[in-house]
Amino acid sequence: MKYLSFENLPEVIGTIAEQVNRIEVSLNEKTPPTETSNKKYNLAEAAAYCGMAESTFRTYVYKRLVAGTK
């Protein structure tokens, strides 16, 4: 990012707005599954399904942000 000054403030705000719009579009393109099932996933499958690293997913399970069973 460039040095922030009053002269380039509109450009910086425009860049941030573009990035936020790209994030919104990306989030809106992901559609939740239409059917529910009782299928059990192992840690690697669940992390891949959620699009995150296994270590991050393991932390979520440990903090009980995601339900899990042994």
Side-chain angles (χ1 to χ4, degrees), residues 21-30:
N21 285 335
R22 274 190 255 133
I23 292 170
E24 287 177 341
V25 168
S26 175
L27 290 173
N28 288 332
E29 287 176 352
K30 290 186 177 184

Side-chain angles (χ1 to χ4, degrees), residues 1 12-26:
M1 178 164 276
V12 172
I13 291 174
T15 303
I16 293 171
E18 288 175 13
Q19 291 175 350
V20 169
N21 285 335
R22 274 190 255 133
I23 292 170
E24 287 177 341
V25 168
S26 175

Side-chain angles (χ1 to χ4, degrees), residues 1-5 8-18:
M1 178 164 276
K2 295 180 180 179
Y3 177 74
L4 184 60
S5 67
N8 68 357
L9 188 60
E11 178 184 341
V12 172
I13 291 174
T15 303
I16 293 171
E18 288 175 13

Side-chain angles (χ1 to χ4, degrees), residues 3-65:
Y3 177 74
L4 184 60
S5 67
F6 285 111
E7 289 80 29
N8 68 357
L9 188 60
E11 178 184 341
V12 172
I13 291 174
T15 303
I16 293 171
E18 288 175 13
Q19 291 175 350
V20 169
N21 285 335
R22 274 190 255 133
I23 292 170
E24 287 177 341
V25 168
S26 175
L27 290 173
N28 288 332
E29 287 176 352
K30 290 186 177 184
T31 57
T34 55
E35 63 181 55
T36 59
S37 69
N38 292 329
K39 182 177 190 253
K40 307 244 186 222
Y41 296 91
N42 65 31
L43 185 89
E45 292 171 334
Y49 181 80
C50 293
M52 62 177 66
E54 287 183 40
S55 59
T56 304
F57 194 79
R58 188 182 308 273
T59 303
Y60 279 37
V61 172
Y62 177 78
K63 291 182 177 181
R64 296 181 188 244
L65 298 172

